[in-house]
Amino acid sequence: MRILLVEDERLLADTVAQGLRRAAHAVDVAYDGGAALERVGVHDYDVVVLDRDLPVVHGDEVCRAIVRHGSPVRVLMLTAAAEIDDRVTGLALGADDYLPKPFAFRELAARVAALGRRSRSAAPPVLERAGVRLDPHRREVYRDGRYVPLSRKEFAVLAELLRADGAAVSAEQLLEKAWDEHADPFTHAVRMAILKLRRKLGDPPIVLTEPGVGYRIP
């Protein structure tokens, strides 16, 4: 998934982002509400993890802006206030879920994953096609019963191809979902990931190239 983490406590933000990246997510980080609004206007996120008490632009205003935009992105709101009224207010703004601080990273990661599933069209928890079986929760991939070790980026790319259900996925779409904002769109990162993925999945090749369109698993 592509995730935007908005948190002004830099150490907390960087620690959470690192944990989410280890789970094969592409994560951008904003340390204030103004930067968050800029990124939401540019990138197609699946989930925004949004601290409520932000500098520059308050988290409430960021949430309102996301809702007004009409994007299918899901919002997980964070706050140090644990009162019920605060939670109700956050949800009334349009947030999809609410998590008080301090929180356990495992719970945050589980809530993000659940929101990510809601931001997409319904899909089975385990993705299977052309003899490939991908389990997003266990982070395991098998081809015809053989375990296939993949890097985080290779895993994310394969997941996007499987979710496309046979349709072609462009390099731009893969870059948007599997890499963060620091990725250079003019590099060959996607092509190299596809080459490595093909090699690891073995023969016969199942990741096909549609010239001028993208990649697909038929």
Side-chain angles (χ1 to χ4, degrees):
M1 289 188 294
R2 184 75 180 268
I3 298 168
L4 175 61
L5 174 62
V6 192
E7 169 60 64
D8 64 319
E9 296 180 41
R10 290 181 176 253
L11 179 59
L12 175 62
D14 294 343
T15 300
V16 171
Q18 184 178 30
L20 291 172
R21 288 174 183 133
R22 286 174 179 164
H25 300 305
V27 184
D28 297 337
V29 179
Y31 301 110
D32 63 69
L37 289 176
E38 291 178 3
R39 285 167 172 78
V40 168
V42 173
H43 300 293
D44 180 20
Y45 293 105
D46 297 294
V47 177
V48 175
V49 180
L50 178 66
D51 184 36
R52 191 173 181 192
D53 188 17
L54 291 170
V56 184
V57 178
H58 195 273
D60 289 0
E61 293 304 316
V62 175
C63 188
R64 288 192 185 99
I66 291 173
V67 172
R68 284 197 302 268
H69 188 261
S71 168
V73 64
R74 302 297 180 173
V75 178
L76 171 60
M77 188 167 278
L78 308 175
T79 182
E83 297 297 327
I84 292 177
D85 286 347
D86 291 295
R87 301 185 191 188
V88 171
T89 300
L91 294 172
L93 291 169
D96 298 278
D97 200 0
Y98 195 100
L99 186 62
K101 295 178 179 179
F103 53 81
F105 175 77
R106 288 179 61 192
E107 181 179 4
L108 180 140
R111 288 174 181 264
V112 166
L115 290 175
R117 290 192 294 271
R118 288 166 56 187
S119 73
R120 299 172 180 267
S121 301
V126 175
L127 303 171
E128 296 185 79
R129 191 174 187 85
V132 173
R133 176 184 173 88
L134 182 148
D135 188 328
H137 304 293
R138 295 178 180 272
R139 285 209 68 242
E140 293 179 344
V141 173
Y142 292 85
R143 181 176 186 187
D144 298 327
R146 174 180 62 87
Y147 175 69
V148 182
L150 298 180
S151 70
R152 291 195 295 271
K153 284 290 181 284
E154 293 158 3
F155 186 93
V157 168
L158 179 60
E160 290 300 320
L161 293 174
L162 290 172
R163 287 191 182 103
D165 198 26
V169 183
S170 70
E172 290 77 14
Q173 288 173 299
L174 292 174
L175 195 67
E176 177 75 17
K177 291 296 183 182
W179 279 263
D180 60 26
E181 64 183 346
H182 301 294
D184 184 347
F186 299 105
T187 66
H188 300 295
V190 172
R191 186 169 63 87
M192 294 305 298
I194 292 290
L195 289 174
K196 292 178 181 178
L197 190 57
R198 283 172 173 156
R199 184 174 69 248
K200 290 183 178 181
L201 289 173
D203 294 323
I206 59 168
V207 180
L208 306 183
T209 300
E210 295 285 339
V213 179
Y215 307 94
R216 70 184 184 94
I217 298 178

